[in-house]
């Protein structure tokens, strides 16, 4: 595995103890610590403290003064990480891994969790050039180059026997303004009229609908767009199936094997998806929205922090707001509660919700403790300010 890993570096949560033979990257988001090359952020965060300088003012959406570590397996190889050169390091490690796997003749799984397009956006050569002054556009070009290097290596070594799946994990972070990207047509217009942002941290389409690209010459048709309803939860069961392996028994997986969709044999994926709250309104992790084919029902709505600092009120809906996404991808006008379409959709939505709640109640559950403990702070040299070291 190469790149961002959101479970952290502690004990059994480190990638090397979660099934990966090799790890090179940052074990959390790259805004969760300080660096000497802070990059573009809104508001900007200062560099790591040096020597006897006072600590940074951390009241401006900045994380701790602990320098962001770059790991290779269990060892910190650079702290603080240099964000400006991180993308090229990732590209080099990824292509080396692919070359080694191809030479050995062994099948491989490479997961690359890119730092793009999350803030802070690195100060790349592209962003320093006169025609590339917009940091977000420069970051996109750098990401495109990085992905292109990985694809080119696959094409040269194992083109006909390697499947590439590229996707994102959430929509733009609106409070970061011009550094956040665009929601495109998924404007969540109903929410914007209530206030706040309908993007990241919400269950509006602009918050969690993301692009996905699949590449496998001879197996996955090119220049084809599918309307099948899929989820990143499908990646695991799909790659397991493509590898000819079996999922572990005695567990229930929310994802499905999407290979028939990828190969163009079917045009349907999930019938039902449920969306828990991720920060904008309601209890964290509580079920907020149900997607049933073309319909999307909101039991709780709320707007995340917008560029202007505003947030939307938390509102509970019973009966729920229901949108027909085939007719209204902007989520502007919910169905009239007295309409024939609403009356037909509501019982099906409630049946789907009951099924989701039964599934959660019957499944195995786990609870991870992510409480911070100073004794496990990642630090290659505790006697140095900001834990500094350089080995790469």
């Amino acid at each position: 595995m190469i790149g961002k890993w959101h479970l952290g570096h502690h004990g059994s949560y480190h990638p090397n103890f979660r099934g990966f033979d090799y790890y090179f990257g940052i074990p959390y988001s790259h805004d969760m610590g300080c660096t000497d090359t802070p990059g573009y952020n809104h508001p900007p965060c200062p560099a790591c403290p040096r020597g006897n300088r006072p600590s940074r003012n951390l009241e401006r959406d900045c994380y701790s003064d602990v320098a962001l570590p770059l790991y290779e397996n269990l060892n910190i190889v650079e702290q603080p990480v240099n964000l400006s050169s991180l993308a090229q390091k990732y590209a080099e490690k990824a292509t080396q891994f692919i070359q080694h796997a191809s030479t050995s003749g062994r099948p491989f799984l490479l997961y690359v969790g890119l730092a793009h397009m999350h803030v802070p956006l690195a100060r790349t050569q592209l962003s320093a050039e006169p025609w590339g002054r917009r940091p977000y556009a420069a970051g996109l070009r750098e990401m495109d180059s990085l992905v292109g290097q990985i694809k080119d290596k696959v094409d040269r070594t194992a083109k006909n026997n390697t499947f590439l799946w590229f996707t994102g994990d959430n929509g733009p972070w609106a409070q970061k303004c011009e550094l956040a990207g665009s929601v495109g047509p998924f404007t969540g217009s109903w929410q914007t009229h209530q206030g706040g942002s309908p993007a990241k941290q919400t269950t509006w389409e602009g918050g969690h609908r993301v692009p996905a690209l699949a590449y496998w010459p001879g197996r996955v048709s090119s220049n084809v767009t599918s309307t099948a309803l899929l989820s990143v939860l499908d990646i695991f069961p799909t790659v397991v199936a493509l590898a000819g392996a079996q999922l572990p028994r005695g567990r229930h997986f929310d994802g499905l094997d999407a290979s028939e969709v990828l190969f163009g044999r079917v045009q349907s994926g999930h019938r039902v998806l449920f969306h828990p709250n991720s920060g904008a309104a309601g209890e964290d992790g509580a079920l907020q929205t149900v997607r049933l084919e073309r319909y999307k029902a909101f039991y709780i709505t709320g707007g995340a922090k917008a560029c202007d600092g505003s947030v939307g009120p938390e509102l509970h809906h019973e009966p729920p707001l229901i949108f027909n996404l085939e007719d209204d991808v902007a989520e502007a006008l919910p169905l009239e509660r007295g309409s024939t379409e609403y009356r037909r959709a509501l019982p099906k939505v409630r049946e789907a919700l009951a099924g989701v709640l039964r599934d959660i109640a019957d499944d195995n559950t786990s609870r991870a403790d992510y409480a911070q403990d100073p004794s496990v702070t990642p630090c290659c040299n505790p006697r140095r300010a900001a834990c500094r070291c350089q080995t790469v």
Side-chain angles (χ1 to χ4, degrees), residues 34-80:
C34 66
T35 70
D36 292 336
T37 54
Y40 299 94
N41 205 341
H42 181 79
C45 292
C48 288
R50 285 182 176 272
N52 295 322
R53 291 183 187 177
S55 297
R56 307 180 305 159
N57 181 350
L58 301 178
E59 298 178 359
R60 303 177 62 196
D61 295 326
C62 302
Y63 279 80
S64 74
D65 279 340
V66 175
L68 198 64
L70 178 65
Y71 276 78
E72 185 161 29
N73 295 318
L74 299 177
N75 300 314
I76 297 175
V77 295
E78 185 180 49
Q79 190 177 18

Side-chain angles (χ1 to χ4, degrees), residues 237-256:
T238 301
V239 297
V240 168
L242 292 176
Q246 298 291 326
L247 291 171
R249 297 185 181 277
R251 306 180 193 178
H252 176 76
F253 294 90
D254 293 316
L256 54 79

Side-chain angles (χ1 to χ4, degrees), residues 112-129:
V112 182
L114 301 178
H116 308 77
M117 294 297 299
H118 200 291
V119 293
L121 301 179
R123 298 180 184 274
T124 66
Q125 181 179 354
L126 290 172
S127 62
E129 295 170 352

Side-chain angles (χ1 to χ4, degrees), residues 12 50 61 93 132 185 199 215 252 335 346 352 357 365 382 384:
S12 62
R50 285 182 176 272
D61 295 326
K93 295 294 183 179
Y215 175 77
H252 176 76
L335 301 177
L346 182 59
L357 294 177
T365 59
R384 299 288 299 279

Side-chain angles (χ1 to χ4, degrees), residues 232-278:
V232 291
L233 296 171
D234 303 328
I235 295 176
F236 177 59
T238 301
V239 297
V240 168
L242 292 176
Q246 298 291 326
L247 291 171
R249 297 185 181 277
R251 306 180 193 178
H252 176 76
F253 294 90
D254 293 316
L256 54 79
D257 174 9
S259 56
E260 293 296 287
V261 175
L262 295 170
F263 298 150
R265 296 170 187 155
V266 300
Q267 289 298 317
S268 60
H270 290 271
R271 179 175 178 269
V272 176
L273 284 176
F274 68 95
H275 306 301
N277 165 53
S278 59

Side-chain angles (χ1 to χ4, degrees), residues 80-338:
V81 63
N82 184 344
L83 295 179
S84 298
S85 61
L86 185 61
Q88 189 54 40
K89 287 188 176 76
Y90 282 173
E92 292 170 358
K93 295 294 183 179
T95 54
Q96 290 169 10
F97 181 89
I98 294 168
Q99 182 64 56
H100 176 74
S102 177
T103 302
S104 70
R106 298 177 59 191
F108 68 90
L109 169 69
L110 173 60
Y111 168 44
V112 182
L114 301 178
H116 308 77
M117 294 297 299
H118 200 291
V119 293
L121 301 179
R123 298 180 184 274
T124 66
Q125 181 179 354
L126 290 172
S127 62
E129 295 170 352
W131 58 86
R133 290 176 180 169
R134 294 175 59 195
Y136 194 87
L140 276 176
R141 292 175 64 188
E142 183 181 66
M143 181 180 70
D144 181 72
S145 174
L146 193 163
V147 174
Q149 291 179 64
I150 295 173
K151 175 186 172 294
D152 289 345
K153 173 58 73 171
V154 167
D155 286 344
R156 290 194 299 269
T157 58
K159 181 175 183 177
N160 297 322
N161 200 32
T162 304
F163 170 52
L164 275 69
W165 195 334
F166 175 87
T167 189
D169 60 353
N170 52 250
W173 198 359
Q175 71 185 71
K176 299 302 179 179
C177 302
E178 75 279 2
L179 305 178
S182 169
V183 295
F186 311 113
T187 54
S189 298
W190 187 93
Q191 181 60 58
T192 58
H193 287 116
Q194 304 297 316
S197 161
K200 178 179 176 178
Q201 297 179 319
T202 78
T203 56
W204 298 95
E205 292 297 280
H208 64 213
R209 184 185 283 214
V210 294
L213 300 173
Y215 175 77
W216 192 353
R219 300 293 300 276
V220 175
S221 299
S222 60
N223 299 318
V224 173
T225 300
S226 173
T227 59
L229 183 59
L230 298 179
S231 163
V232 291
L233 296 171
D234 303 328
I235 295 176
F236 177 59
T238 301
V239 297
V240 168
L242 292 176
Q246 298 291 326
L247 291 171
R249 297 185 181 277
R251 306 180 193 178
H252 176 76
F253 294 90
D254 293 316
L256 54 79
D257 174 9
S259 56
E260 293 296 287
V261 175
L262 295 170
F263 298 150
R265 296 170 187 155
V266 300
Q267 289 298 317
S268 60
H270 290 271
R271 179 175 178 269
V272 176
L273 284 176
F274 68 95
H275 306 301
N277 165 53
S278 59
E283 180 184 355
D284 281 353
L287 190 141
Q288 182 171 342
T289 308
V290 175
R291 175 72 185 269
L292 172 66
E293 297 173 335
R294 74 181 69 181
Y295 297 109
K296 187 173 174 187
F298 285 84
Y299 286 87
I300 303 174
T301 55
K305 189 175 182 180
C307 177
D308 62 6
S310 65
V311 295
E314 177 179 321
L315 299 175
H316 294 249
H317 307 276
E318 182 53 60
L321 298 179
I322 300 179
F323 295 85
N324 183 335
L325 294 185
E326 284 191 359
D327 299 333
D328 183 17
V329 74
E331 296 171 301
L333 294 173
L335 301 177
E336 291 287 344
R337 286 183 169 140

